[in-house]
Amino acid sequence: MAHKYDNASQQRILRALLMLAGNEFNGVAPGELAKAMGESPSTATRDLHNLKEVGFAEQIQETGRWRLGPKVVQLSFAFSTELTRARQRLDEITYRYTRQP
């Protein structure tokens, strides 16, 4: 059931982003993306352009195919870094409360 905040174009772009994942070496052709999503090639091209504008997708110059952009990977590294910091802080707190006086 659709929620009042659902937005079809935003959902479509997010689905396109998910479809690019796992194709970082060979990429995905806009036509393949359009077919897989049940959209027109022009819609897929527009979505890819918008993903490119924020660094979430990039076009492979040699083939014209598309893959995830560096920004997506940078987000995952940022999460990993923050997770490491949180673990270190938790370890410090655990040590502080569990050490023998």
Side-chain angles (χ1 to χ4, degrees):
M1 181 175 184
H3 189 276
K4 68 179 181 177
Y5 293 131
D6 288 352
N7 180 289
S9 62
Q10 291 175 354
Q11 293 293 319
R12 188 185 65 243
I13 286 178
L14 292 170
R15 282 194 319 274
L17 182 65
L18 292 172
M19 294 183 82
L20 292 175
N23 294 292
E24 289 75 27
F25 291 101
N26 295 320
V28 176
E32 294 170 348
L33 185 66
K35 184 176 180 181
M37 294 179 53
E39 299 292 340
S40 70
S42 62
T43 296
T45 299
R46 182 176 57 242
D47 290 346
L48 289 166
H49 168 79
N50 281 285
L51 288 169
K52 179 182 177 181
E53 286 299 305
V54 294
F56 283 10
E58 66 181 9
Q59 193 168 24
I60 303 169
Q61 294 305 313
E62 299 80 20
T63 64
R65 297 168 72 86
W66 290 78
R67 63 182 169 204
L68 288 178
K71 196 59 109 176
V72 177
V73 177
Q74 291 166 356
L75 287 171
S76 66
F77 275 112
F79 173 79
S80 179
T81 300
E82 183 61 21
L83 188 58
T84 298
R85 284 188 197 126
R87 281 188 185 130
Q88 289 170 344
R89 181 69 180 130
L90 182 58
D91 289 346
E92 291 168 8
I93 293 169
T94 300
Y95 175 75
R96 192 170 131 228
Y97 281 92
T98 60
R99 68 185 167 131
Q100 297 295 321

